[in-house]
Amino acid sequence: MRYLTFALGKGRLAKQTLELFEKIGITCEEMKDKESRKLIFVNEELKLKFFLAKGPDVPTYVEYGAADIGVAGKDTILEEGRKVHEVLDLGYGKCRMCVCGDPSATPLLRHHELIRVATKYPNIAKDYFYNMKHQTVEIIKLNGSIELAPIVGLSEVIVDIVETGSTLRENGLEVLEEVCPLSARMIVNPVSMRMEQERIKDLLMKLRTQL
Ligand code: PRP
């Protein structure tokens, strides 16, 4: 039997995923060692391999088949637009992709003004404004602390993740429009989907009983 390889996005998502896997009897003790700099972990009995990657790289590993299966946020999956099959909503990591800004930006959105939109997710922002809303905007790609942009006058609004809403509140910003709901998803390489159909079906069945 060949190894089934999993790519997990580093951080909280990976922790929750490993907790979920434990519940269905998939363990990987060596992965819990926080001191370790090891990148890949093996469960010999079950013929499984796990590795931790940067979140946005997970769909890349899965598209190319370097991992059969991946767990990533829906935000990452949408933004990366890779050829992978999304097979399961894992239900955790729940948050929303939103257009946010100062309430004074509301009429600019309503009147389809040519505004500037700062975001870590240019593809999601483009799809939302161009294809869904038919509003021409200027997209400005940033890499973090997106909430700064409307405060310092870089953009009128942002497209960003809202979880508790506290970052927005503490910075006097509000959700102006909702783009889509987000959560952790399981993705599968299209070839693995066919070649490892039985093992993947079995895994999905077991996971569903825990959701
Ligand atoms: C994310 C997101 C928001 C914040 C939302 O940022 O970009 O800034 O979390 O969470 P909240 O609604 O619970 O306040 P993250 O902390 O991942 O860092 P970043 O600024 O580098 O994107």
Side-chain angles (χ1 to χ4, degrees), residues 89 131 140 170 173 208:
D89 183 344
N131 301 334
I140 303 174
E170 285 179 31
L173 304 173
R208 281 197 191 98

Side-chain angles (χ1 to χ4, degrees), residues 14 56 72 93 185 196:
R185 308 292 162 96
E196 296 292 342

Side-chain angles (χ1 to χ4, degrees), residues 120 143-147 160-168:
K120 206 153 86 171
N143 295 294
S145 303
I146 315 300
E147 289 82 359
D160 200 18
I161 291 173
V162 179
E163 192 182 353
T164 61
S166 59
T167 310
L168 290 179

Side-chain angles (χ1 to χ4, degrees), residues 10-11 21 25 48-50 54 63 65 73 76 81 88 91 95 97 113 128 131-132 137 149 178 185 206:
K10 263 188 220 166
F21 282 5
L48 303 174
K49 278 186 194 169
F50 297 89
K54 275 268 189 195
E63 179 182 275
T76 304
L88 190 60
C95 48
M97 187 65 74
E113 305 272 358
Y128 179 70
N131 301 334
M132 312 251 294
V137 297
E178 184 167 327
R185 308 292 162 96
K206 286 182 177 146

Side-chain angles (χ1 to χ4, degrees), residues 25 36 72 109 115 126 153-154 192:
S36 172
L109 287 167
I115 51 173
K126 264 180 222 159
L154 175 65
S192 308

